[in-house]
Short mmCIF file of all heavy atoms in Angstrom, two decimals:
data_model
loop_
_atom_site.label_atom_id
_atom_site.label_comp_id
_atom_site.label_asym_id
_atom_site.label_seq_id
_atom_site.Cartn_x
_atom_site.Cartn_y
_atom_site.Cartn_z
N SER A 1 -22.48 125.67 -63.32
CA SER A 1 -21.57 126.79 -63.08
C SER A 1 -20.46 126.73 -64.10
O SER A 1 -19.79 125.69 -64.27
CB SER A 1 -21.00 126.69 -61.64
OG SER A 1 -19.93 127.61 -61.46
N ILE A 2 -20.22 127.84 -64.79
CA ILE A 2 -19.15 127.86 -65.74
C ILE A 2 -17.82 128.13 -65.03
O ILE A 2 -17.71 129.02 -64.17
CB ILE A 2 -19.36 128.97 -66.82
CG1 ILE A 2 -20.69 128.68 -67.55
CG2 ILE A 2 -18.21 129.07 -67.78
CD1 ILE A 2 -21.08 129.74 -68.54
N THR A 3 -16.83 127.31 -65.32
CA THR A 3 -15.56 127.37 -64.60
C THR A 3 -14.41 127.80 -65.53
O THR A 3 -14.56 127.90 -66.77
CB THR A 3 -15.20 126.01 -63.99
OG1 THR A 3 -15.03 125.04 -65.07
CG2 THR A 3 -16.27 125.52 -63.06
N ARG A 4 -13.28 128.10 -64.93
CA ARG A 4 -12.05 128.35 -65.65
C ARG A 4 -10.94 127.53 -64.97
O ARG A 4 -11.07 127.16 -63.78
CB ARG A 4 -11.68 129.83 -65.70
CG ARG A 4 -11.45 130.43 -64.31
CD ARG A 4 -11.11 131.90 -64.38
NE ARG A 4 -11.05 132.52 -63.06
CZ ARG A 4 -9.97 132.44 -62.26
NH1 ARG A 4 -8.88 131.78 -62.67
NH2 ARG A 4 -9.98 133.00 -61.07
N LEU A 5 -9.89 127.28 -65.68
CA LEU A 5 -8.80 126.43 -65.14
C LEU A 5 -7.68 127.31 -64.52
O LEU A 5 -7.28 128.32 -65.13
CB LEU A 5 -8.22 125.53 -66.19
CG LEU A 5 -9.12 124.40 -66.71
CD1 LEU A 5 -8.35 123.54 -67.70
CD2 LEU A 5 -9.67 123.59 -65.58
N GLU A 6 -7.23 126.91 -63.39
CA GLU A 6 -6.02 127.46 -62.80
C GLU A 6 -4.98 126.35 -62.77
O GLU A 6 -5.21 125.28 -62.19
CB GLU A 6 -6.28 127.97 -61.39
CG GLU A 6 -7.06 129.25 -61.33
CD GLU A 6 -7.14 129.83 -59.95
OE1 GLU A 6 -6.64 129.20 -59.00
OE2 GLU A 6 -7.70 130.94 -59.79
N GLY A 7 -3.86 126.56 -63.45
CA GLY A 7 -2.84 125.52 -63.58
C GLY A 7 -3.03 124.77 -64.89
O GLY A 7 -3.93 125.09 -65.69
N THR A 8 -2.21 123.77 -65.09
CA THR A 8 -2.22 123.00 -66.33
C THR A 8 -2.16 121.51 -66.03
O THR A 8 -1.80 121.08 -64.93
CB THR A 8 -1.03 123.38 -67.24
OG1 THR A 8 0.19 123.13 -66.52
CG2 THR A 8 -1.12 124.84 -67.65
N GLY A 9 -2.47 120.75 -67.09
CA GLY A 9 -2.35 119.29 -66.99
C GLY A 9 -3.24 118.70 -65.94
O GLY A 9 -4.33 119.20 -65.60
N GLU A 10 -2.80 117.54 -65.38
CA GLU A 10 -3.61 116.80 -64.40
C GLU A 10 -3.89 117.60 -63.15
O GLU A 10 -4.85 117.34 -62.44
CB GLU A 10 -2.91 115.49 -64.07
CG GLU A 10 -2.65 114.56 -65.24
CD GLU A 10 -3.92 114.03 -65.84
OE1 GLU A 10 -4.97 113.97 -65.15
OE2 GLU A 10 -3.94 113.66 -67.03
N LYS A 11 -3.01 118.55 -62.81
CA LYS A 11 -3.16 119.31 -61.56
C LYS A 11 -4.01 120.58 -61.72
O LYS A 11 -4.21 121.30 -60.75
CB LYS A 11 -1.80 119.66 -61.00
CG LYS A 11 -0.97 118.46 -60.60
CD LYS A 11 0.38 118.89 -60.01
CE LYS A 11 1.20 117.67 -59.60
NZ LYS A 11 2.52 118.07 -59.03
N ALA A 12 -4.53 120.79 -62.90
CA ALA A 12 -5.35 122.00 -63.13
C ALA A 12 -6.61 121.96 -62.27
O ALA A 12 -7.24 120.91 -62.15
CB ALA A 12 -5.70 122.12 -64.59
N LEU A 13 -6.95 123.10 -61.69
CA LEU A 13 -8.11 123.20 -60.83
C LEU A 13 -9.22 123.97 -61.54
O LEU A 13 -8.96 124.97 -62.20
CB LEU A 13 -7.77 123.88 -59.52
CG LEU A 13 -6.75 123.17 -58.64
CD1 LEU A 13 -6.45 124.03 -57.40
CD2 LEU A 13 -7.28 121.80 -58.20
N ALA A 14 -10.46 123.52 -61.37
CA ALA A 14 -11.61 124.25 -61.93
C ALA A 14 -12.10 125.28 -60.92
O ALA A 14 -12.45 124.94 -59.79
CB ALA A 14 -12.70 123.28 -62.26
N VAL A 15 -12.17 126.53 -61.33
CA VAL A 15 -12.55 127.62 -60.43
C VAL A 15 -13.80 128.28 -61.02
O VAL A 15 -13.84 128.64 -62.21
CB VAL A 15 -11.42 128.67 -60.30
CG1 VAL A 15 -11.83 129.79 -59.42
CG2 VAL A 15 -10.14 127.99 -59.79
N PRO A 16 -14.86 128.50 -60.18
CA PRO A 16 -16.08 129.13 -60.71
C PRO A 16 -15.80 130.55 -61.20
O PRO A 16 -15.03 131.30 -60.60
CB PRO A 16 -17.00 129.13 -59.47
CG PRO A 16 -16.46 128.08 -58.57
CD PRO A 16 -14.98 128.08 -58.78
N THR A 17 -16.46 130.90 -62.29
CA THR A 17 -16.36 132.24 -62.82
C THR A 17 -17.50 133.16 -62.37
O THR A 17 -17.43 134.37 -62.60
CB THR A 17 -16.34 132.21 -64.35
OG1 THR A 17 -17.62 131.71 -64.80
CG2 THR A 17 -15.22 131.36 -64.91
N GLY A 18 -18.53 132.58 -61.76
CA GLY A 18 -19.72 133.34 -61.39
C GLY A 18 -20.82 133.28 -62.44
O GLY A 18 -21.93 133.69 -62.17
N GLN A 19 -20.47 132.80 -63.62
CA GLN A 19 -21.47 132.67 -64.69
C GLN A 19 -22.14 131.28 -64.57
O GLN A 19 -21.55 130.30 -64.10
CB GLN A 19 -20.81 132.78 -66.07
CG GLN A 19 -20.20 134.13 -66.36
CD GLN A 19 -19.49 134.14 -67.67
OE1 GLN A 19 -18.41 133.54 -67.85
NE2 GLN A 19 -20.08 134.83 -68.66
N VAL A 20 -23.35 131.21 -65.06
CA VAL A 20 -24.09 129.94 -65.03
C VAL A 20 -24.77 129.71 -66.38
O VAL A 20 -24.95 130.65 -67.17
CB VAL A 20 -25.14 129.87 -63.89
CG1 VAL A 20 -24.48 129.94 -62.55
CG2 VAL A 20 -26.19 130.95 -64.10
N GLU A 21 -25.13 128.45 -66.63
CA GLU A 21 -25.93 128.14 -67.82
C GLU A 21 -26.90 127.01 -67.44
O GLU A 21 -26.60 126.20 -66.56
CB GLU A 21 -25.00 127.77 -68.97
CG GLU A 21 -24.99 126.42 -69.40
CD GLU A 21 -24.02 126.13 -70.58
OE1 GLU A 21 -23.73 127.01 -71.36
OE2 GLU A 21 -23.63 124.95 -70.64
N GLU A 22 -28.02 126.98 -68.10
CA GLU A 22 -29.02 125.95 -67.81
C GLU A 22 -29.22 125.07 -69.04
O GLU A 22 -29.29 125.57 -70.17
CB GLU A 22 -30.33 126.58 -67.37
CG GLU A 22 -30.22 127.33 -66.05
CD GLU A 22 -31.52 127.90 -65.59
OE1 GLU A 22 -32.54 127.80 -66.32
OE2 GLU A 22 -31.58 128.48 -64.49
N VAL A 23 -29.28 123.77 -68.80
CA VAL A 23 -29.46 122.79 -69.90
C VAL A 23 -30.75 122.02 -69.64
O VAL A 23 -30.88 121.32 -68.63
CB VAL A 23 -28.28 121.80 -69.98
CG1 VAL A 23 -28.50 120.77 -71.08
CG2 VAL A 23 -26.99 122.55 -70.20
N PRO A 24 -31.74 122.12 -70.52
CA PRO A 24 -32.97 121.34 -70.35
C PRO A 24 -32.68 119.86 -70.57
O PRO A 24 -31.99 119.48 -71.53
CB PRO A 24 -33.92 121.87 -71.45
CG PRO A 24 -33.28 123.17 -71.88
CD PRO A 24 -31.83 123.05 -71.66
N CYS A 25 -33.17 119.04 -69.68
CA CYS A 25 -32.99 117.58 -69.83
C CYS A 25 -33.90 116.89 -68.79
O CYS A 25 -34.15 117.43 -67.72
CB CYS A 25 -31.54 117.17 -69.60
SG CYS A 25 -30.85 117.66 -68.04
N GLY A 26 -34.35 115.71 -69.12
CA GLY A 26 -35.18 114.98 -68.19
C GLY A 26 -34.50 113.75 -67.59
O GLY A 26 -35.14 113.02 -66.80
N LEU A 27 -33.27 113.52 -67.97
CA LEU A 27 -32.54 112.36 -67.47
C LEU A 27 -31.11 112.80 -67.13
O LEU A 27 -30.41 113.36 -67.97
CB LEU A 27 -32.50 111.28 -68.54
CG LEU A 27 -31.83 109.92 -68.19
CD1 LEU A 27 -32.53 109.23 -67.07
CD2 LEU A 27 -31.75 109.04 -69.42
N ILE A 28 -30.70 112.55 -65.89
CA ILE A 28 -29.37 113.01 -65.42
C ILE A 28 -28.68 111.87 -64.69
O ILE A 28 -29.30 111.21 -63.82
CB ILE A 28 -29.50 114.24 -64.50
CG1 ILE A 28 -30.19 115.40 -65.26
CG2 ILE A 28 -28.15 114.66 -63.97
CD1 ILE A 28 -30.65 116.52 -64.34
N PHE A 29 -27.44 111.64 -65.06
CA PHE A 29 -26.62 110.59 -64.36
C PHE A 29 -25.43 111.25 -63.70
O PHE A 29 -24.75 112.06 -64.31
CB PHE A 29 -26.12 109.55 -65.37
CG PHE A 29 -27.23 108.75 -66.02
CD1 PHE A 29 -27.66 109.06 -67.31
CD2 PHE A 29 -27.82 107.71 -65.36
CE1 PHE A 29 -28.67 108.33 -67.90
CE2 PHE A 29 -28.85 106.98 -65.94
CZ PHE A 29 -29.28 107.29 -67.22
N SER A 30 -25.20 110.86 -62.48
CA SER A 30 -24.01 111.31 -61.76
C SER A 30 -22.95 110.22 -61.89
O SER A 30 -23.09 109.13 -61.34
CB SER A 30 -24.32 111.55 -60.29
OG SER A 30 -23.15 111.76 -59.55
N SER A 31 -21.88 110.53 -62.66
CA SER A 31 -20.79 109.59 -62.83
C SER A 31 -19.50 110.20 -62.30
O SER A 31 -18.53 110.42 -63.05
CB SER A 31 -20.67 109.24 -64.30
OG SER A 31 -19.68 108.24 -64.57
N ILE A 32 -19.51 110.51 -61.02
CA ILE A 32 -18.34 111.19 -60.41
C ILE A 32 -17.55 110.26 -59.50
O ILE A 32 -16.75 110.74 -58.71
CB ILE A 32 -18.83 112.44 -59.63
CG1 ILE A 32 -19.83 112.07 -58.54
CG2 ILE A 32 -19.45 113.46 -60.59
CD1 ILE A 32 -20.16 113.23 -57.60
N GLY A 33 -17.80 108.95 -59.62
CA GLY A 33 -16.94 108.03 -58.89
C GLY A 33 -17.69 107.23 -57.81
O GLY A 33 -18.85 107.48 -57.51
N TYR A 34 -16.94 106.29 -57.26
CA TYR A 34 -17.48 105.40 -56.24
C TYR A 34 -16.64 105.56 -54.97
O TYR A 34 -15.60 106.22 -54.98
CB TYR A 34 -17.37 103.93 -56.70
CG TYR A 34 -17.98 103.68 -58.07
CD1 TYR A 34 -17.19 103.66 -59.22
CD2 TYR A 34 -19.33 103.45 -58.22
CE1 TYR A 34 -17.71 103.44 -60.47
CE2 TYR A 34 -19.90 103.21 -59.46
CZ TYR A 34 -19.11 103.19 -60.58
OH TYR A 34 -19.64 102.98 -61.79
N LYS A 35 -17.09 104.96 -53.90
CA LYS A 35 -16.30 104.98 -52.68
C LYS A 35 -16.52 103.69 -51.91
O LYS A 35 -17.61 103.09 -51.96
CB LYS A 35 -16.66 106.20 -51.82
CG LYS A 35 -18.10 106.23 -51.32
CD LYS A 35 -18.31 107.49 -50.47
CE LYS A 35 -19.73 107.57 -49.98
NZ LYS A 35 -19.99 108.77 -49.15
#
């Protein structure tokens, strides 16, 4: 999903624009953190 930023700096939020793009790939890693 293609996003746009609302706000600036560290507090900027990613907001969906409604547009999408597809990337061909056979290997995907999720590196969004631990808990």
Side-chain angles (χ1 to χ4, degrees):
S1 168
I2 299 176
T3 63
R4 60 180 174 82
L5 291 184
E6 287 188 356
T8 58
E10 301 293 336
K11 296 182 179 180
L13 298 176
V15 179
T17 63
Q19 296 177 287
V20 297
E21 109 180 335
E22 295 183 356
V23 179
C25 57
L27 181 64
I28 300 167
F29 296 100
S30 170
S31 185
I32 59 172
Y34 309 95
K35 62 180 179 180

